[in-house]
Structures are given as C-alpha cells and as structure tokens.
Amino acid sequence: IMAIDKIQSESINLADNFAFTGTVTGAGGVNTPAFAARINGEQTISHNTSTKLTLNTEIFDTANAYDTSTYRFTPQTAGKYYCTLNINSNANGQGNFRIANAQIYFNGSLAYISGYDKATGYENNGRESLSAIITFNGSSDYIEPYFYGYTQNSGNITIGGTNTYDSQFSAYKIIE
C-alpha cells in the first residue's frame, strides 16, 4: 500500500522516460488510402430521383483512388473504411422540401442511406450527413455518392452553394 501511495503522489513524464529513435514496429499503421472530394459550384437534382453527385474537386487523394470524372472511390487496398457523405441541399422554396436522403452506392447498388421524410412541416433546405464503415475487397469494390429528394411542387433541388465545402464525400482506411 505504501508503494501505491508513492506512485500516486509523483507525476510521471512519459516523454522523458520513453525517448524513441529509429523505427517503431508493431505500433499500428496509417489511415491510407484516404480521400476527400467536394462539389465545385452547384448541381441541379430533379424531383423524385436518385442522382449521382458530381463531387468533382479533390481536396486530397493519397492513392489516386477517387476518380473526379466518374465520382467513384475504388481503393486498391483491402480493409475496412470509414466513409462519409455530407450534402448541402436547397429545395428552392419555403416549406417545399419533404424528403432528402444522402445515399452511398456500393458496387452500383444502394447500400447506405440517411435522411428524413417530413410528412408535415416541410423545410426549404437541409444538410444531410451519412457515415458508414464499409469493407472493401481492395481490387474492384467501389462507392459512389448519391442524393434523393422529393419536393412538394415537383421542382428541382440545388446541391452545393456558395460554400462548396458544404457538400463533401470522403473515406479513409481504418487501422486494423
């Protein structure tokens, strides 16, 4: 008991006691491949349709795994990835938005969805966000960003806006 009291009364500075030089092995990896892409400007989405988002500007891409022409992330490294999709949407009319969904398609099919369906009390705009942990085989699996919206007046929806960082798609490999 006396030894425990002594330890509790003294502070330990780990930086002074563990100064590493050289290479540390077995301490984990890095979160790559990783990418983030954003929309450059605005995109118009038709009422009552799922539409692939044109997130055409890379913020970064550590392994050249995001294609800015197909809006597709295809990592060549197998593993689990933390994936996010954030969307700034506007239904272009007060109280016009009823349904807004962020969607991630996996290998061409809808796999993940997040959003809302407001049966009453419609909105004008929103920020939809979706996060998922997805397992990739490393050679051919891919994800794509989509949005689905439904408006009361059957009008178009605008994605993006003045701050183009509002709509982003990103992923990084989780250290396993």
Side-chain angles (χ1 to χ4, degrees):
I1 294 176
M2 184 179 291
I4 292 173
D5 290 337
K6 182 174 172 125
I7 290 173
Q8 289 176 342
S9 67
E10 294 182 21
S11 65
I12 299 173
N13 185 341
L14 293 178
D16 291 339
N17 294 323
F18 299 101
F20 291 104
T21 59
T23 303
V24 177
T25 59
V30 293
N31 294 103
T32 58
F35 88 98
R38 65 178 177 85
I39 193 167
N40 185 12
E42 295 179 343
Q43 178 181 358
T44 300
I45 306 292
S46 297
H47 159 76
N48 199 24
T49 60
S50 287
T51 304
K52 188 190 295 190
L53 297 176
T54 58
L55 303 175
N56 54 3
T57 303
E58 288 182 335
I59 299 166
F60 65 89
D61 187 355
T62 65
N64 200 26
Y66 183 74
D67 188 327
T68 57
S69 63
T70 63
Y71 320 112
R72 181 181 288 182
F73 175 62
T74 310
Q76 297 301 305
T77 304
K80 292 177 178 53
Y81 288 74
Y82 184 77
C83 307
T84 61
L85 175 58
N86 297 299
I87 303 169
N88 179 33
S89 57
N90 187 330
N92 302 304
Q94 189 61 38
N96 193 34
F97 232 148
R98 177 172 170 195
I99 301 172
N101 291 326
Q103 303 174 332
I104 294 178
Y105 278 53
F106 182 75
N107 294 336
S109 298
L110 177 60
Y112 304 91
I113 186 169
S114 177
Y116 61 82
D117 181 349
K118 295 203 175 270
T120 59
Y122 309 121
E123 296 182 0
N124 177 43
N125 54 39
R127 295 185 188 276
E128 292 69 50
S129 183
L130 171 60
S131 298
I133 296 175
I134 302 173
T135 301
F136 289 83
N137 68 14
S139 60
S140 61
D141 287 339
Y142 63 91
I143 56 173
E144 299 165 301
Y146 275 75
F147 178 83
Y148 171 83
Y150 184 96
T151 59
Q152 289 308 108
N153 69 357
S154 301
N156 292 334
I157 299 157
T158 303
I159 302 297
T162 56
N163 183 356
T164 56
Y165 285 92
D166 286 341
S167 297
Q168 289 189 28
F169 187 38
S170 62
Y172 63 86
K173 186 175 185 303
I174 298 171
I175 299 170
E176 298 181 64

